[in-house]
Amino acid sequence: MFYKLLLILSLSFFAQAAERPRGVSSAKASFYQPGKDFKCLTSGETVPWEFVNDDYCDCKDGTDEPGTSACANGFFFCENRGHRGSYIISSRVNDGICDCCDGSDEFDEKIKCGNTCDEIGRKEREEREAFRQLQEQGYKIKQEYMQQGKRAKDEKRARLSELEKQMAELTAARDEIQTRKDEVEAPETEAKERHQKAWEELKAARQAEKDRVKAAHAFAELDANRDNVVDYPEMQKHLEFDIDSDGTVSVEEAREYLDDSDGVDLAKFQDKIWTNIKDIYKPPAEAQETKEALPDEDVATGSQDGTPTPKPVIPPPRQPDGSDFDEDDEEDEEDDRDYYEAEEDEEDRGEDSAKPKEAGEEEEKMPPYDEETQKLIEAADVVRKEYDEAADKVKDAENEVNGLKKYLEVDYGPDEEFSALRDQCFELTDREYTYKLCAFDKSSQRPKAGGIETSLGKWGHWYGPEEDKYDAMKYENGQSCWNGPSRSTHVNLHCGVENKLTGASEPSRCEYQFEFTTPARCKQPEPVTGQHQHTEL
Ligand code: MAN
């Protein structure tokens, strides 16, 4: 029964095919009725049936010659059984080139065309099937992405609103501690400043005393005849007072340093003279060193009469009261220094004022704070610690809120499927560069041979056509191109089972194009029906 039916169907098909003029598709067969006048399909003229395919073009639209090359504007239908029917322009009919895969366009037998439709059809079906399978696998992954993306969005939204509520409490707690901190820090600062001020004053007094001792020492050295007056002849023996550098200290020069007097006693020396000369004055040992460093002739010109300047006699230093500067005093100074050096080792020292050290002078350390100040510091430290913890909590919450907002403001596709790409970077190396794409963040390029990374853009927006905007991404405002625009990247997205940067090029200077495959771009494949695609047969 089945075979009988099949036979009838086949016969009727061949009968129909046989009745159809050459080059006419089954869809248009009804317009070509053998024996009846033919009405040109679009231009509308009517011609006798014999004019159809008589190798002469009668219709303006060329439809009377579907199976010959007579009409320049005509079309020939290739049946292409086993593959897919298609039209070719009439001029290709019997032109010696096989255009239809079934070879039906070359029927005058000038050349012999094989039938490759089955093979082409099979290849195409295989490709289609491979793509369908890719879509299917990719779509499965995409569904996971969609679920993850939606869950992530819900979680992030919930966390954000929770944090926004907490933020008010955290800020209030911090501000409350800030008030307490201010309260305990005020007396602390005051006490510390008091201590510091007292220390500065003590240091200044000590310095002044040291200076007076130095002055007395210098006075004793200058006062060569030990008459308790430093007079100008004594000053003249010190070449450092030679203002005009003529090799001698004139009377005027010496007197000028003595406040225009002939001589001064120790009190005046300490009060008025020392300040002006202390940076110039050289103690005898130092003066001697300088002299030794000079060439002989310079030393020879030490006095006007040509005789070398006699070496000054170094008197033992004396105290301001005229008594000798005894060694015990030096020891006292040493003791002072020891006292402060020892203080350095103590645990909680007071802050030291950062003054530049004078040459040869040990910097003195501030003594530790007194007990009362120390207690204030400890009390303030406790509140400061509390405050730092509370402030850190606010900062952490703020950072988290900013991160969440940044995530939530991005469009991850209609079903959140692209969120799986966030925080991921992908690289591709070609002959010259390694290209990098960090999804929803940035794109970049760095020379393969090493060197710095160049920004090719920051995440901008979706860049596909209006009807499919998730087909491409745009990264923009990258590093400026020399004499050109800032670099930008156009990323084309394709369905694939893995997230992969598969291509990178620079179609025009500083405008880059990436190809990227991702399951997020896979569509739900059409269900397999087991039927071949419609082929006009
Ligand atoms: C660099 C790279 C290239 C780019 C030129 C433009 O060499 O970023 O891709 O074309 O700069 O000067």
Side-chain angles (χ1 to χ4, degrees):
M1 180 63 195
F2 173 75
Y3 290 109
K4 205 171 172 187
L5 190 68
L6 200 67
L7 188 69
I8 294 164
L9 277 173
S10 319
L11 284 175
S12 77
F13 168 77
F14 283 117
Q16 232 187 29
E19 280 169 19
R20 219 191 312 157
R22 191 194 304 275
V24 174
S25 68
S26 60
K28 291 184 179 159
S30 59
F31 299 114
Y32 295 84
Q33 295 289 333
K36 290 191 184 158
D37 285 351
F38 173 72
K39 193 171 175 205
C40 308
L41 295 186
T42 53
S43 53
E45 312 93 293
T46 304
V47 296
W49 174 249
E50 292 71 38
F51 285 17
V52 172
N53 277 345
D54 67 347
D55 209 15
Y56 185 85
C57 195
D58 299 289
C59 293
K60 276 200 200 101
D61 63 8
T63 51
D64 62 314
E65 295 298 317
T68 76
S69 57
C71 295
N73 53 348
F75 288 94
F76 177 89
F77 182 74
C78 316
E79 289 198 1
N80 294 343
R81 293 187 69 194
H83 181 35
R84 192 182 325 112
S86 65
Y87 284 95
I88 57 169
I89 53 172
S90 296
S91 59
R92 295 199 170 165
V93 173
N94 287 331
D95 64 348
I97 298 168
C98 308
D99 295 292
C100 306
C101 66
D102 61 3
S104 57
D105 57 316
E106 297 299 319
F107 53 83
D108 65 359
E109 299 196 337
K110 265 195 241 131
I111 64 156
K112 215 170 160 43
C113 295
N115 187 331
T116 56
C117 291
D118 280 345
E119 198 189 327
I120 295 175
R122 184 176 48 77
K123 264 199 196 140
E124 204 186 273
R125 281 190 292 278
E126 278 170 11
E127 277 168 20
R128 216 180 307 134
E129 176 55 16
F131 184 66
R132 199 197 58 78
Q133 281 182 17
L134 180 86
Q135 293 265 11
E136 198 171 78
Q137 282 180 40
Y139 189 69
K140 271 193 195 135
I141 304 171
K142 177 179 174 174
Q143 282 173 307
E144 284 165 28
Y145 285 1
M146 283 154 54
Q147 275 179 14
Q148 285 167 15
K150 283 174 187 161
R151 204 179 317 128
K153 193 169 202 170
D154 290 346
E155 282 169 9
K156 283 175 201 290
R157 275 190 184 140
R159 177 75 183 138
L160 181 62
S161 67
E162 182 187 319
L163 273 174
E164 276 168 347
K165 268 182 234 142
Q166 273 179 22
M167 191 64 98
E169 287 164 29
L170 291 173
T171 315
R174 183 202 56 193
D175 293 349
E176 184 272 320
I177 304 171
Q178 162 99 59
T179 313
R180 280 196 283 130
K181 185 164 92 75
D182 292 347
E183 278 164 17
V184 291
E185 275 180 347
E188 181 209 24
T189 310
E190 207 180 295
K192 279 168 88 175
E193 280 172 1
R194 212 168 30 238
H195 182 88
Q196 175 85 28
K197 192 162 167 258
W199 166 238
E200 297 297 339
E201 282 166 6
L202 180 66
K203 252 192 337 188
R206 275 186 190 154
Q207 188 54 45
E209 186 46 36
K210 270 187 197 164
D211 214 38
R212 287 183 80 76
V213 171
K214 269 190 198 158
H217 202 164
F219 183 89
E221 285 164 351
L222 285 163
D223 180 16
N225 62 6
R226 296 176 164 231
D227 64 350
N228 290 339
V229 171
V230 169
D231 52 22
Y232 68 84
E234 286 163 335
M235 292 289 281
Q236 279 182 288
K237 288 175 191 154
H238 278 253
L239 272 177
E240 62 266 33
F241 300 127
D242 174 14
I243 299 171
D244 59 10
S245 303
D246 67 351
T248 55
V249 181
S250 67
V251 174
E252 288 72 31
E253 285 170 332
R255 287 186 87 256
E256 199 175 323
Y257 280 115
L258 293 175
D259 197 27
D260 285 331
S261 68
D262 291 344
V264 294
D265 62 8
L266 177 64
K268 185 166 182 193
F269 185 84
Q270 284 173 317
D271 293 344
K272 294 200 88 171
I273 311 300
W274 178 240
T275 321
N276 293 331
I277 68 167
K278 66 180 177 188
D279 295 331
I280 306 164
Y281 167 73
K282 288 195 178 100
E286 220 180 289
Q288 184 59 24
E289 271 169 30
T290 318
K291 214 175 281 176
E292 278 165 10
L294 289 170
D296 285 350
E297 66 250 42
D298 287 345
V299 175
T301 57
S303 69
Q304 275 172 328
D305 61 7
T307 55
T309 312
K311 214 174 163 189
V313 182
I314 307 168
R318 280 175 301 163
Q319 283 290 63
D321 61 3
S323 63
D324 285 350
F325 184 92
D326 80 27
E327 292 202 324
D328 288 349
D329 289 316
E330 275 187 358
E331 274 171 15
D332 288 348
E333 273 194 50
E334 286 291 337
D335 289 349
D336 281 353
R337 221 168 287 140
D338 288 350
Y339 166 71
Y340 287 115
E341 275 164 12
E343 279 169 8
E344 280 184 38
D345 301 331
E346 281 179 34
E347 260 266 291
D348 198 357
R349 264 174 286 132
E351 287 153 39
D352 187 30
S353 55
K355 258 192 179 174
K357 276 188 205 172
E358 272 178 38
E361 210 177 85
E362 273 302 311
E363 207 173 304
E364 290 178 302
K365 302 279 181 216
M366 188 170 75
Y369 291 115
D370 57 88
E371 206 179 315
E372 197 187 322
T373 309
Q374 198 56 48
K375 273 191 184 137
L376 290 170
I377 294 172
E378 280 160 19
D381 279 347
V382 172
V383 187
R384 264 192 291 270
K385 191 165 172 270
E386 230 182 290
Y387 175 81
D388 288 347
E389 282 166 10
D392 282 352
K393 276 188 194 158
V394 174
K395 264 261 133 337
D396 290 349
E398 272 169 3
N399 288 342
E400 200 182 337
V401 164
N402 289 341
L404 289 167
K405 282 187 175 162
K406 225 173 142 196
Y407 178 96
L408 290 169
E409 74 197 14
V410 175
D411 173 1
Y412 296 107
D415 295 301
E416 302 296 314
E417 63 270 39
F418 290 100
S419 78
L421 300 179
R422 202 192 156 91
D423 298 329
Q424 287 202 64
C425 295
F426 307 89
E427 291 195 347
L428 175 71
T429 302
D430 72 1
R431 274 183 311 135
E432 231 184 311
Y433 296 105
T434 293
Y435 290 94
K436 185 154 87 175
L437 175 69
C438 296
F440 301 106
D441 184 12
K442 60 182 184 180
S443 62
S444 63
Q445 156 200 75
R446 67 172 188 275
K448 199 172 156 184
I452 53 158
E453 196 170 86
T454 301
S455 164
L456 304 186
K458 293 173 264 305
W459 163 246
H461 47 87
W462 291 104
Y463 201 47
E466 213 178 309
E467 69 285 359
D468 189 14
K469 71 170 180 166
Y470 302 101
D471 183 46
M473 292 169 153
K474 181 84 166 177
Y475 292 77
E476 52 201 6
N477 297 323
Q479 201 166 309
S480 293
C481 192
W482 192 72
N483 264 350
S486 57
R487 289 172 171 79
S488 63
T489 313
H490 175 162
V491 184
N492 287 317
L493 301 173
H494 312 276
C495 163
V497 285
E498 55 175 339
N499 293 315
K500 195 173 177 185
L501 187 56
T502 56
S505 57
E506 191 179 350
S508 80
R509 201 165 142 264
C510 295
E511 288 179 6
Y512 302 83
Q513 187 172 310
F514 287 1
E515 306 301 325
F516 187 79
T517 63
T518 172
R521 268 303 284 168
C522 296
K523 292 193 177 71
Q524 183 163 25
E526 306 224 330
V528 193
T529 57
Q531 274 173 5
H532 285 164
Q533 193 181 313
H534 179 61
T535 62
E536 278 284 343
L537 290 174

